[in-house]
Amino acid sequence: MQTRVRKAIFPVGGLGTRFLPATKAMPKEMLPVVDKPLIQYALEEAQAAGIEEFVFVTGRGKGAIEDHFDRSFELEATLRERSKLAELEELLRWVPRAGTVAYTRQQEPMGLGHAVWCARHFVNDEPFAVLLADDLILSKQPCLKQMTEAYGRVGGNMVAVMDVAREHTKRYGILSVGKENGPLVEVKGLVEKPKPEAAPSTLAVIGRYIIQPQVFAHLDKKAIGAGGEIQLTDSLIPMIGQMPFHGYRFEGQRFDCGDKVGFFEANVAFALARPDMGPEVRRIVQNYAKG
Ligand code: G1P
């Protein structure tokens, strides 16, 4: 039996300059898709996959994330007074229990690998998940849950993957693909942000990872990679061949919420999928499409 994945790291230190001015005084992870902040989608996805401890790697100006995951006694009391019990129950459903959340600061923006390394003492010697809130996934079963189920069978390292257009390989970690077995793809190699002509495939890493703790020995070296940053991908590469390592072709649609158009599309798709507003939004979208 593989050790169950109980902990998750959420790197949330990024400045979000692509969303200025919205992100001038607000963390980009608090941008809502319909009515829920991006980071809450990620947290709930982790909870649905059985994650019990949540580590946020933050930075300056990210206080709203801590407040969001705290109890809010005034709000709770007001809802109770006004007998808004359904709203109250919904508010308490996802707030992590005391002592299950930790925040640590990435003091310098040195890359995703460095952000994960900053959480090393919270993870210790266990496998852990990493969720990038910018990658929002609309699916029947939450993406990380799909992965932890497969992980229960194969163990090792696992990354969510999907095919991307060849001209976009320079935005992603790209796999060299080995044997395929259903949604599982054997990882033969990995390269961070290759040019289209140099990419070994068009199968890209999407921001969901299950990683064995041995990765910290590699992250410790703080090697500088693509874009002058400490890349997570570069510390996963030496683990290929040392343990099972799979890409997982998840079921669902992924939205790049680090990009304005992707973020807008996510809002449309999530609104359309909502029973309480979907039909009305569909009418509105169809009206605009006509014009
Ligand atoms: C990060 C990872 C990359 C991965 C991507 C998924 O890149 O470094 O390997 O494909 O997330 O969204 P970033 O988007 O932070 O540049």
Side-chain angles (χ1 to χ4, degrees):
M1 247 326 265
Q2 306 300 330
T3 318
R4 205 163 70 76
V5 186
R6 299 186 319 110
K7 298 187 181 182
I9 300 175
F10 302 83
V12 291
L15 285 178
T17 46
R18 276 195 267 176
F19 282 89
L20 284 169
T23 51
K24 186 172 175 230
M26 180 178 81
K28 66 170 175 169
E29 297 79 10
M30 289 300 292
L31 290 171
V33 168
V34 185
D35 53 7
K36 192 187 283 192
L38 279 171
I39 192 63
Q40 188 181 332
Y41 286 98
L43 177 100
E44 289 188 39
E45 185 179 327
Q47 288 174 327
I51 299 295
E52 295 165 0
E53 292 179 30
F54 311 88
V55 188
F56 294 84
V57 183
T58 69
R60 280 178 287 282
K62 299 284 180 168
I65 296 175
E66 289 185 47
D67 291 340
H68 191 70
F69 292 128
D70 195 3
R71 295 282 296 273
S72 174
F73 284 98
E74 275 181 17
L75 180 58
E76 289 171 28
T78 308
L79 290 175
R80 207 168 285 124
E81 255 164 45
R82 297 186 184 164
S83 299
K84 297 202 165 196
L85 297 182
E87 287 86 345
L88 179 63
E89 197 181 318
E90 171 54 23
L91 195 68
L92 294 174
R93 181 180 58 77
W94 49 267
V95 171
R97 282 180 304 113
T100 63
V101 195
Y103 300 90
T104 187
R105 278 194 182 192
Q106 181 181 22
Q107 292 156 325
E108 294 168 81
M110 290 172 70
L112 178 60
H114 179 254
V116 170
W117 177 83
C118 287
R120 66 201 178 283
H121 294 302
F122 297 88
V123 168
N124 285 323
D125 202 21
E126 291 187 36
F128 60 95
V130 177
L131 295 96
L132 307 184
D134 276 358
D135 284 328
L136 182 59
I137 298 164
L138 182 60
S139 57
K140 289 197 204 88
Q141 199 182 29
C143 180
L144 189 65
K145 171 82 175 154
Q146 298 175 39
M147 290 171 68
T148 51
E149 280 187 12
Y151 170 81
R153 297 192 296 277
V154 296
N157 287 328
M158 194 176 284
V159 290
V161 293
M162 67 178 240
D163 273 301
V164 297
R166 187 161 277 275
E167 65 264 31
H168 292 162
T169 56
K170 57 185 177 297
R171 298 182 188 169
Y172 300 96
I174 300 289
L175 267 62
S176 284
V177 176
K179 278 193 224 111
E180 303 214 19
N181 179 9
L184 288 171
V185 182
E186 189 191 355
V187 178
K188 285 274 190 202
L190 269 176
V191 51
E192 183 65 21
K193 299 192 170 59
K195 295 202 179 101
E197 60 276 18
S201 77
T202 54
L203 202 55
V205 175
I206 298 306
R208 302 290 183 275
Y209 305 75
I210 296 173
I211 302 176
Q212 300 302 316
Q214 289 87 329
V215 75
F216 291 120
H218 304 296
L219 287 172
D220 272 338
K221 295 181 189 138
K222 306 226 181 80
I224 305 293
E229 297 191 333
I230 300 172
Q231 297 290 353
L232 180 57
T233 304
D234 292 340
S235 285
L236 294 173
I237 292 168
M239 299 167 85
I240 299 169
Q242 306 285 309
M243 59 180 68
F245 199 151
H246 293 93
Y248 187 88
R249 290 183 195 267
F250 56 95
E251 167 276 312
Q253 196 183 353
R254 172 263 186 176
F255 300 93
D256 178 5
C257 291
D259 170 82
K260 281 181 207 185
V261 175
F263 177 72
F264 173 74
E265 188 186 359
N267 270 282
V268 175
F270 275 72
L272 287 172
R274 284 265 296 254
D276 59 335
M277 56 194 288
E280 206 181 333
V281 172
R282 186 169 308 278
R283 270 195 299 280
I284 293 169
V285 172
Q286 278 166 347
N287 256 340
Y288 277 93
K290 268 188 235 149

